[in-house]
Amino acid sequence: MGGNITAEALDRDERRIGVYICHCGLNIADTVDVEAVANYAGTLNSVAVARDYRFMCSDPGQDLIKNDIKELNLNRVVVASCSPRMHEPTFRKACEAASLNPYLFEMANIREDCSWVHDDREVATQKAKALVRAAVARVYYNDPLEIKEIPFNPDTLVVGGGIAGIQAALEIADSEHKVYLVERDPSIGGHMIQLDKTFPTLDCSQCILTPKMAAVGAHPYIELLSYSEVEEVSGFVGAFKVKVRKKARYVDEDKCTGCGLCQEKCPWTADSEYDVGLSKRKAIYTPFAQAIPNVPVIDRDSCAYFLKGKCRACEKFCETGAIDFEQVDQFIELEVGAIILATGYDAFDPSTISQYGYGIYDNVITGLQFERLSAATGPTGGEIRLKDGRKPESVAIIHCVGSRDQNYHEYCSRVCCMYGLKVAHIVKDKTNADVYEMYIDMRCFGEGYEEFYKRVSEEGVNFIRGKVAKVTDKAVSEEEEGKLVVICEDTLLGSIIRVPVDMVVLCIALEARSDAEEVARKFIISRRADGFFLERHVKLDPVATPSDGVLIAGCCQGPKDIPDTVAQASAAAARALAMISKGRVTLEASVSHVNEDLCIGCGRCEELCEFHAPKVDIYEKPMPVSRVNEALCKGCGACAVACPTGAISIKHFKPEQILAMVDALAET
Amino acid sequence: MSEFEPSILCFACNWCSYAAADIAGTSRIQYPPNVRLLRVMCSGMVDAEYVLKSLEAGFDGVMVAGCHIGDCHYISGNIKAQEMVTRLKKLLHILGLEDERLMLKWIATSEGPIFAETIKEYVEQLKKLGPSPFRKELVT
């Protein structure tokens, strides 16, 4: 791999640097006088050639570099173009293709850091010259680095067992590669299993999801760790180590047959999470009938034995002796090559918007609660009923509850318009009620969505364009007596209207998980300002993250509907399979290096390294010396800063490289 | 223009602040051209020597920009940077330099607008403070 020029050979040779200034079409050339920058670069120390070209990242642009390396014997290359976070890999590869070690390449960012943020041509050109000067000064001191590879662990961890995690796990497992699927709840299924019908085709959500769930449960290449959470992650792409906490179920999975007798006999109840509080479940429970795995858990917070030390009814009735009150959390260590995060979303809590009356009025419910009312598996067996059991005669559906609202979430949750329309259709289908949709804009962008909007419009649903101000039970007229009154500005009529209804359905936003920050920290990935996980590139790399080998799929990356979630999950699986298929992973070459002549073996580096890379060899004669395990080192540089004798430096970030840049940037 | 234009060197962490500057660029958020970015892998990689040499080289202000506490790509590099900056600030006084010549700032990847705003504010702050005594010549 890489060039075959050794450091010694380079020391003997003079530096011959090629500098390439990219126009980036007009993105740079519009603000920066690229020709002047190239001319200036040509005057710099050790620069053998300086050119400007319209698109350096294009094939002809890259060929320019490759040919010059060969014909002009270049041994260093600088490209001044976009951010190195964008095209550094591209140009490093181009150098490598021309047998130049990729670390003898340096990039000056004259687009994001210059032409795009300054509009004065003279100032921008001046700054671009400084940035090029600094890159040339740095590359002078760059060393060729050895690129090492290790085998890629073909096992994958998928975190989250909603539709995204299920899809990703199945895609990978079907290629006969092992997947560990970790799900925090007692069963996989996620939010999708709570839904009744899915827009716009009105497929029954359970009917399309349960076969996939069953496939996960039975798959020889999937190890399902339900009721489990990831505790710790260490290692790196290709060789992650993951510690998983398998929470105590108090039921022995091997003995339980899933007969359900324990749940029948348990006298204690709590609000059902699955039915979003619309029904009760037992203290020992499986969340729903089709749960995978079909093994109940005991909820300590509602179990009389755990609360008061008495009961154990489940244990008495269990014929296989599966109940185990002594069970404790177990810790499992996994080794995987890639990680796919599919941790989903939280449904927005509308009680924070108190004027909508959620939690105050019985018949103000969320979209998710409506799903449970409407589902055949729900508390009413699929009948749309008010709290008192009556059928509603009128229903209002309020859009953008918590979305597109500067007080809550500025973003659009992307699914609410469509599920609002679906709610309208179902109400029309199952009752004779009048239906009102209060919306800001209708956003029906997907396949078959606009057609569904048209269909629902023709079903006699009343569409009112405006943001709802308030839901109240204070009647001002006879027809409002005993009703919920939705007060709303109809922006098409230009007047405030009052709509008395029996039921209000709130189209609540999708928001980042409340523990998204902690999860991001655990997997060392970033989040957007709105809390969702940040992809590596918003358009071109939507499943990768800045942490190599950690991929994201589904709503943890941002609100999306089921088709988009499935597409992204498959994409994440494909990315993992590409790494598995390659079978090896390149180690970070920019790692810590100990000059053993200077090291006094004080152990300061070993003490502070978060990754346990340096270790002092205390038996070394005449003096103990620190040695770095390069596979563990991430190149953060903390040891180099702390080293009292200056024995440690980070390859590719040596002091002379940094200080050369400092001096070059300070020049005016 | 005879107004003093301060020069700023910003050591920017690859994983957050440098990416934030990229986002400021992609979003075309304009900010003063007084700043030069020097990409490092972690704010914890910034040696006190680098800061001192930067000030010696004539920069009016040096900024170390890293990830918010808890978000470090290398777990605790930013905490180490914070310790370095705290220590170094004491030394700056001895050298006769003001506190403001060294600035530590946490800027997350998504905070492109905050990056631009930080540069604007720092430029204003340094304008009020005046040129560094180490500045070789006063040029705009």
Side-chain angles (χ1 to χ4, degrees):
Chain A
M1 297 292 292
N4 37 24
I5 306 166
T6 63
E8 289 83 349
L10 276 168
D11 278 343
R12 283 196 303 274
D13 287 343
E14 55 166 343
R15 305 296 203 253
R16 292 182 60 77
I17 305 171
V19 183
Y20 302 86
I21 316 295
C22 182
H23 299 201
C24 194
L26 287 174
N27 280 309
I28 294 170
D30 235 4
T31 328
V32 170
D33 184 345
V34 281
E35 208 177 310
V37 177
N39 288 338
Y40 171 74
T43 67
L44 294 169
N45 186 25
S46 303
V47 171
V49 63
R51 304 179 194 276
D52 61 284
Y53 185 71
R54 186 164 294 178
F55 287 108
M56 280 311 298
C57 61
S58 67
D59 275 350
Q62 292 186 49
D63 287 344
L64 212 57
I65 301 174
K66 290 180 201 168
N67 290 338
D68 281 357
I69 291 174
K70 285 179 193 147
E71 281 165 23
L72 303 174
N73 285 322
L74 299 183
N75 52 28
R76 298 286 194 287
V77 170
V78 169
V79 173
S81 56
C82 50
S83 169
R85 292 167 54 88
M86 184 86 190
H87 270 312
E88 190 174 62
T90 311
F91 295 121
R92 279 186 171 173
K93 267 188 204 130
C95 290
E96 217 174 345
S99 299
L100 185 70
N101 186 284
Y103 287 89
L104 298 174
F105 165 79
E106 203 54 54
M107 210 158 167
N109 181 353
I110 59 167
R111 194 180 73 175
E112 282 85 343
D113 285 356
C114 189
S115 71
W116 274 351
V117 288
H118 310 311
D119 41 24
D120 185 306
R121 193 171 167 83
E122 201 180 317
V123 167
T125 303
Q126 203 59 30
K127 182 168 172 180
K129 283 181 186 172
L131 296 175
V132 169
R133 185 168 63 226
V136 169
R138 187 191 206 277
V139 85
Y140 187 93
Y141 292 101
N142 282 18
D143 291 324
L145 299 185
E146 191 189 345
I147 293 154
K148 292 177 191 160
E149 288 183 328
I150 56 156
F152 189 95
N153 186 326
D155 297 352
T156 306
L157 169 70
V158 176
V159 186
I163 178 59
I166 289 172
Q167 179 74 17
L170 285 174
E171 295 260 18
I172 295 170
D174 283 347
S175 73
E176 303 194 342
H177 288 102
K178 171 115 191 179
V179 177
Y180 298 97
L181 177 57
V182 173
E183 166 58 50
R184 144 161 89 183
D185 285 340
S187 169
I188 55 171
H191 276 109
M192 187 176 165
I193 198 68
Q194 291 177 283
L195 308 183
D196 175 28
K197 292 186 171 60
T198 55
F199 60 77
T201 48
L202 301 174
D203 292 278
C204 149
S205 187
Q206 299 217 339
C207 312
I208 56 177
L209 184 57
T210 50
K212 279 183 178 283
M213 289 167 60
V216 166
H219 207 295
Y221 283 92
I222 297 180
E223 186 170 332
L224 174 58
L225 299 163
S226 64
Y227 211 46
S228 301
E229 291 186 51
V230 173
E231 285 279 308
E232 268 174 44
V233 184
S234 60
F236 49 90
V237 56
F240 288 110
K241 284 196 170 69
V242 182
K243 190 168 157 194
V244 176
R245 175 195 290 267
K246 208 166 181 305
K247 296 179 278 189
R249 282 185 118 92
Y250 306 107
V251 176
D252 186 329
E253 282 177 83
D254 296 329
K255 289 184 185 161
C256 175
T257 60
C259 71
L261 197 61
C262 53
Q263 303 185 53
E264 216 174 279
K265 299 295 180 187
C266 174
W268 305 97
T269 60
D271 282 346
S272 159
E273 294 83 359
Y274 178 60
D275 280 336
V276 207
L278 294 179
S279 73
K280 297 281 182 191
R281 56 140 171 95
K282 294 296 179 66
I284 182 165
Y285 72 108
T286 46
F288 46 91
Q290 310 88 327
I292 302 284
N294 184 21
V295 179
V297 296
I298 295 177
D299 166 19
R300 288 182 69 116
D301 296 334
S302 51
C303 168
Y305 175 69
F306 281 114
L307 292 175
K308 298 172 191 159
K310 264 192 227 160
C311 181
R312 298 178 85 123
C314 48
E315 193 181 39
K316 282 171 211 139
F317 287 97
C318 179
E319 286 169 8
T320 60
I323 308 293
D324 177 7
F325 287 104
E326 308 306 316
Q327 214 176 57
V328 290
D329 292 1
Q330 276 179 296
F331 292 94
I332 301 167
E333 305 268 353
L334 306 176
E335 290 186 2
V336 296
I339 296 171
I340 297 176
L341 294 179
T343 50
Y345 66 91
D346 278 343
F348 176 75
D349 174 8
S351 59
T352 55
I353 310 181
S354 56
Q355 62 269 33
Y356 286 173
Y358 181 77
I360 302 167
Y361 307 124
D362 279 345
N363 294 310
V364 177
I365 61 172
T366 67
L368 200 54
Q369 285 176 317
F370 181 88
E371 298 288 342
R372 298 312 309 142
L373 272 190
S374 167
T377 53
T380 57
E383 303 242 4
I384 309 300
R385 299 284 184 189
L386 299 172
K387 185 80 181 257
D388 61 10
R390 285 183 301 131
K391 270 195 176 183
E393 286 169 6
S394 48
V395 176
I397 299 161
I398 304 180
H399 287 224
C400 298
V401 178
S403 311
R404 304 185 68 201
D405 186 332
Q406 294 205 334
N407 298 316
Y408 304 97
H409 299 302
E410 233 173 292
Y411 57 81
C412 163
S413 288
R414 291 173 57 102
V415 293
C416 325
C417 281
M418 288 307 296
Y419 83 63
L421 288 173
K422 179 192 68 182
V423 168
H425 168 80
I426 292 173
V427 172
K428 277 285 176 195
D429 193 39
K430 293 192 175 182
T431 72
N432 292 320
D434 293 327
V435 179
Y436 303 89
E437 295 250 2
M438 283 80 170
Y439 68 100
I440 308 177
D441 299 291
M442 290 305 298
R443 296 185 163 176
C444 310
F445 52 85
E447 184 184 328
Y449 291 9
E450 184 65 24
E451 293 86 337
F452 188 72
Y453 176 27
K454 187 160 180 280
R455 172 180 169 181
V456 174
S457 308
E458 286 164 0
E459 287 172 350
V461 172
N462 302 293
F463 287 90
I464 298 165
R465 186 175 187 276
K467 182 128 177 113
V468 171
K470 196 176 181 181
V471 176
T472 176
D473 62 351
K474 309 277 179 298
V476 296
S477 66
E478 206 172 309
E479 65 160 352
E480 289 181 359
E481 286 298 339
K483 301 269 185 185
L484 292 167
V485 183
V486 181
I487 304 169
C488 171
E489 184 191 5
D490 186 328
T491 56
L492 298 179
L493 285 179
S495 59
I496 305 292
I497 57 167
R498 294 172 67 92
V499 184
V501 293
D502 292 325
M503 178 187 272
V504 174
V505 180
L506 304 176
C507 295
I508 48 172
L510 276 54
E511 60 186 15
R513 287 277 191 197
S514 59
D515 62 352
E517 187 180 352
E518 190 193 326
V519 173
R521 203 165 284 177
K522 217 171 263 177
F523 292 91
I524 318 183
I525 59 170
S526 311
R527 297 192 306 147
R528 301 198 305 236
D530 57 23
F532 291 100
F533 297 152
L534 184 72
E535 63 286 310
R536 186 176 278 179
H537 191 280
V538 62
K539 296 177 189 77
L540 302 180
D541 209 350
V543 299
T545 67
S547 282
D548 285 336
V550 179
L551 307 164
I552 47 177
C555 288
C556 65
Q557 183 249 347
K560 53 180 70 68
D561 54 21
I562 296 167
D564 284 0
T565 296
V566 169
Q568 199 186 15
S570 294
R575 184 64 71 84
L577 282 169
M579 294 188 272
I580 293 167
S581 161
K582 188 178 174 194
R584 25 178 235 286
V585 59
T586 307
L587 289 181
E588 179 57 66
S590 168
V591 290
S592 172
H593 173 76
V594 183
N595 179 343
E596 296 193 2
D597 293 338
L598 293 178
C599 177
I600 53 170
C602 69
R604 188 79 190 89
C605 48
E606 186 180 328
E607 235 167 73
L608 60 78
C609 178
E610 297 277 8
F611 309 101
H612 314 295
K615 230 177 171 54
V616 176
D617 183 351
I618 51 168
Y619 300 110
E620 185 66 33
K621 299 277 187 260
M623 213 194 288
V625 61
S626 175
R627 296 219 163 84
V628 175
N629 180 343
E630 294 193 353
L632 294 177
C633 179
K634 294 194 185 277
C636 73
C639 56
V641 170
C643 178
T645 65
I648 303 184
S649 60
I650 302 300
K651 293 178 187 172
H652 204 57
F653 285 88
K654 296 178 299 176
E656 54 264 46
Q657 289 169 299
I658 307 269
L659 294 175
M661 286 188 86
V662 168
D663 283 338
L665 289 171
E667 261 180 63
T668 45
Chain B
M1 284 238 300
S2 58
E3 196 190 4
F4 158 61
E5 286 293 341
S7 60
I8 299 169
L9 183 66
C10 172
F11 291 96
C13 160
N14 175 65
W15 304 101
C16 56
S17 311
Y18 193 84
D22 276 0
I23 291 204
T26 312
S27 318
R28 315 295 201 275
I29 302 170
Q30 304 287 302
Y31 57 82
N34 308 48
V35 65
R36 304 280 181 267
L37 252 67
L38 198 161
R39 182 168 71 122
V40 288
M41 294 313 287
C42 178
S43 56
M45 181 183 260
V46 181
D47 201 299
E49 183 196 357
Y50 302 164
V51 177
L52 289 170
K53 286 262 168 72
S54 306
L55 290 167
E56 190 191 4
F59 282 103
D60 298 298
V62 175
M63 188 173 145
V64 178
C67 309
H68 289 274
I69 294 295
D71 290 347
C72 176
H73 192 78
Y74 306 104
I75 302 171
S76 64
N78 48 4
I79 294 170
K80 290 164 187 139
Q82 195 171 34
E83 288 164 2
M84 182 277 288
V85 167
T86 312
R87 271 200 314 273
L88 198 53
K89 283 208 174 200
K90 289 178 189 153
L91 194 61
L92 291 189
H93 289 291
I94 300 169
L95 293 172
L97 286 171
E98 302 85 341
D99 210 55
E100 296 92 325
R101 300 277 177 209
L102 175 57
M103 186 212 227
L104 180 71
K105 181 81 183 173
W106 308 140
I107 306 172
T109 309
S110 57
E111 296 175 337
I114 293 180
F115 175 82
E117 204 47 49
T118 305
I119 300 301
K120 271 182 216 163
E121 282 169 14
Y122 198 27
V123 168
E124 287 313 309
Q125 202 180 359
L126 289 171
K127 273 185 183 170
K128 277 185 204 141
L129 200 64
S132 155
F134 291 110
R135 203 170 228 268
K136 291 191 181 81
E137 46 183 324
L138 296 183
V139 270
T140 53

